[in-house]
Amino acid sequence: ILPAPVSAAQTPGQEFELDSGTSLYAASSAAAPVADYLAAVLLGCTALSAGCGGKAPAPAATAGPASYADILPAPVSAAQTPGQEFELDSGTSLYAASSAAAPVADYLAGLLRPATGYRLPVVSAAPSGDAIRLTLSGAPASVGDQGYQLKVTSDGIVLSAQSAAGLFEGVQTLRQLLPASIESPTAVQGASWPVPAGSVTDYPRYAYRGASLDVARHFFDVADVERYIDEVSRYKIDYLHLHLTDDQGWRLAIEGYPALTGVGANSEVGPGTGGYYTQAQYRQIVAYAAARYITVIPEIDMPGHVNAAEAAYGDLTCDGKAPAPYTGTGTGFSTLCTDKPAVKTFVAAVLKQLVALTPGSYIDIGGDEAQSTPAPAYASFMTWAAAQVRADGKIPMGWDAITNAQTGSTASAPTLAEYWETTESPTPAFQAAVAAGTKVVLAPANHAYLDQKYDQDTVLGLDWAGPISLAQSYEWDPSTYLLGVPSSAVYGIEAAMWGETLTTMSDLEYLAFPRLTAVAELGWSPASAHRLSAFERRLAAQAPYWRAAGINFYEAPEVNWPSGG
């Protein structure tokens, strides 16, 4: 017993057996709350066949939404067959009809095994019994590269797509048709696992459905980033925009520049010690995301937001002096000395290594809030930096201010510009860049910034672009949002998470959920499905899944959330 009691003596050869007939007797009203607490502890442990094992007790089996009308994001089309269902049981197998489908089948099995306790073998030969079949044939051409078709009958489940990415998105729909306790990390005793019969045909509205994560203001380690990847992938996000550098910290090791991590990584907002990823750890994050069909876009912000780099290397400044590490939340005060050879040598080395580490098509070079950089120097430097990215076969991406440097002025040099401003009237330079071929990712701060408070009483978050209610995050149309920007120029949307007030994973989840799902639905679902009341109903059905998975979330008062702990 730890801590050691004042006195204790064991009686050899005797024991008490706790069994199904045991009761707990509270000898007084004062003792009753402790008896209730003990009962809750024991019920959790005895619900596990192998004991608690240091894990939280598995929740009791609860019914899922069992309705195709509750799928989120809303699918293109869905129909439920009344009175029929498929029962996932210990004899069910997962059939991967091709080697390309096998990784998704393995992923699905990994999702289903913990809560069910079933073996759920993944097989390559067509099974004769109950099975979930994953195939890259049979889906209609309309689903494209990321869509899928799901058919559930009492005899089995068939998930078909034209790519493994489409199968993966179909899996996210399937898990919402199982009872919510399927998300439990431990076996749920005595549960059944019905899936209502029906069919879904589905594909995304936009190719780009992003979530950004700022690890520069507060550092999040590899495990936290991987957890966030898992969480956003539930809602068919396919890009993770990783903000790796800022005034407060530098988060990626760069060969030849050891002080970036020896000095620049050792700070963050407030009193924290920061941190960084080795190149091996960054590759791990990229691979983990890729296994969930999410592409990582790394961002190295420049020529502003660079105090952490300059604290490490003073020759990046115009006076040659390294500034002190910065732990505040201000912006716009730092700048690279863009004309110095040492600066271009540094930036070229960083970008070349980043390109080598990143298999995705995009490298983000930032470009925002460079108030301390003279406009001519800014335009010249950002045009040069974009050319470095293109020379290595990648597409430069940046915040909307990069259009002032005309980095997207030719069709042979495509650029992605991410729009974050709170006005719906972009600058003439932005409109001209779009007319010349620049594509747009929309992340308007007053709708899509998840770091903003929900209301004035929210403890976490900022409020310079908010507060942002759930309705405000949902009630806008990306295709018509910007004046002078046609819908054909909108490549997609992004839910942005900045880290000034985030210190834990629980903080991150609280600000992300439920608003991330609003942005995700705008990015995936057809415009015809855009109705706030219907979205709020679908959203309420997600709460039991989040509770079972241990995801912290804000219970927006306008949603009729189901009760539960």
Side-chain angles (χ1 to χ4, degrees):
I1 301 170
L2 195 154
V6 173
S7 67
Q10 187 163 341
T11 305
Q14 297 184 35
E15 64 183 19
F16 168 73
E17 184 71 24
L18 179 70
D19 61 25
S20 60
T22 303
S23 62
L24 276 70
Y25 166 53
S28 67
S29 59
V34 182
D36 289 337
Y37 167 80
L38 176 58
V41 171
L42 297 177
L43 283 169
C45 289
T46 55
L48 301 177
S49 59
C52 282
K55 299 180 179 179
T62 56
S67 172
Y68 286 66
D70 287 334
I71 297 168
L72 194 156
V76 173
S77 67
Q80 189 162 337
T81 306
Q84 296 185 38
E85 62 185 27
F86 170 76
E87 184 76 27
L88 179 71
D89 59 30
S90 59
T92 302
S93 62
L94 280 71
Y95 167 52
S98 64
S99 58
V104 183
D106 288 335
Y107 167 83
L108 176 57
L111 291 177
L112 302 179
R113 286 169 181 153
T116 64
Y118 300 154
R119 191 167 65 91
L120 300 175
V122 176
V123 299
S124 57
S128 57
D130 290 349
I132 302 173
R133 293 168 166 80
L134 287 78
T135 176
L136 295 179
S137 63
S142 61
V143 303
D145 290 338
Q146 295 186 38
Y148 62 93
Q149 187 173 75
L150 176 67
K151 294 183 177 180
V152 181
T153 69
S154 58
D155 296 326
I157 297 173
V158 178
L159 177 58
S160 58
Q162 296 188 13
S163 71
L167 290 177
F168 183 86
E169 306 299 9
V171 163
Q172 306 315 313
T173 294
L174 175 58
R175 66 195 294 189
Q176 293 185 32
L177 295 172
L178 281 152
S181 49
I182 195 66
E183 301 296 336
S184 169
T186 52
V188 183
Q189 196 75 8
S192 60
W193 307 104
V195 182
S199 63
V200 179
T201 300
D202 202 11
Y203 48 86
R205 182 182 185 186
Y206 293 111
Y208 186 108
R209 304 172 306 282
S212 74
L213 180 59
D214 172 16
V215 296
R217 269 53 175 264
H218 278 105
F219 180 66
F220 286 87
D221 64 19
V222 172
D224 283 340
V225 175
E226 290 179 345
R227 178 176 171 89
Y228 197 53
I229 289 169
D230 280 330
E231 290 172 354
V232 302
S233 72
R234 291 170 174 267
Y235 299 101
K236 303 180 172 68
I237 295 295
D238 64 343
Y239 283 93
L240 177 69
H241 176 182
L242 204 55
H243 187 75
L244 290 167
T245 67
D246 215 298
D247 290 314
Q248 296 84 354
W250 184 282
R251 306 302 180 207
L252 179 65
I254 298 295
E255 294 177 2
Y257 292 89
L260 288 174
T261 50
V263 176
N266 295 335
S267 55
E268 60 184 15
V269 171
T273 57
Y276 69 93
Y277 309 118
T278 66
Q279 292 197 0
Q281 288 173 322
Y282 175 77
R283 288 185 189 274
Q284 178 182 335
I285 291 170
V286 170
Y288 192 88
R292 285 139 186 84
Y293 300 90
I294 290 177
T295 300
V296 171
I297 300 175
E299 180 184 353
I300 303 294
D301 211 346
M302 60 181 88
H305 292 273
V306 291
N307 193 85
E310 292 178 334
Y313 292 97
D315 59 351
L316 301 179
T317 69
C318 288
D319 64 7
K321 298 178 181 179
Y326 182 67
T327 59
T329 60
T331 61
F333 62 88
S334 64
T335 180
L336 295 170
C337 195
T338 58
D339 292 334
K340 290 181 74 171
V343 168
K344 290 191 174 179
T345 298
F346 168 74
V347 171
V350 170
L351 291 176
K352 188 165 287 292
Q353 290 185 44
L354 201 59
V355 165
L357 291 166
T358 306
S361 299
Y362 301 104
I363 300 293
D364 196 306
I365 54 176
D368 65 316
E369 298 177 319
Q371 290 97 322
S372 297
T373 311
Y378 175 91
S380 175
F381 178 79
M382 294 305 289
T383 299
W384 171 84
Q388 304 305 299
V389 173
R390 292 192 190 97
D392 283 325
K394 301 292 187 179
I395 299 172
M397 180 178 178
W399 300 101
D400 50 83
I402 65 170
T403 58
N404 295 323
Q406 298 181 327
T407 53
S409 59
T410 66
S412 62
T415 299
L416 267 186
E418 185 164 357
Y419 189 86
W420 66 271
E421 309 286 354
T422 58
T423 174
E424 297 173 24
S425 301
T427 64
F430 186 89
Q431 293 177 331
V434 169
T438 295
K439 294 292 186 181
V440 178
V441 171
L442 288 170
N446 53 330
H447 294 287
Y449 270 28
L450 305 180
D451 62 294
Q452 299 296 299
K453 293 175 179 289
Y454 288 98
D455 57 38
Q456 291 294 350
D457 295 327
T458 307
V459 175
L460 290 171
L462 304 175
D463 60 5
W464 63 266
I468 300 176
S469 67
L470 177 64
Q472 189 171 340
S473 65
Y474 187 77
E475 288 285 69
W476 60 288
D477 184 352
S479 68
T480 60
Y481 185 73
L482 288 181
L483 296 175
V485 175
S487 60
S488 59
V490 177
Y491 189 49
I493 65 176
E494 184 168 289
M497 180 66 80
W498 300 102
E500 286 91 339
T501 67
L502 308 179
T503 59
T504 68
M505 193 66 201
S506 180
D507 294 343
L508 172 59
E509 291 171 343
Y510 183 80
L511 289 178
F513 293 97
R515 290 179 299 193
L516 180 134
T517 65
V519 179
E521 178 152 300
L522 292 179
W524 179 276
S525 303
S528 60
H530 190 174
R531 293 188 302 279
L532 180 61
S533 60
F535 166 71
E536 289 176 344
R537 186 199 69 242
R538 289 191 293 275
L539 182 60
Q542 299 304 303
Y545 295 87
W546 296 344
R547 290 168 179 148
I551 297 174
N552 189 28
F553 68 100
Y554 170 72
E555 295 193 21
E558 61 266 41
V559 177
N560 184 24
W561 301 101
S563 60

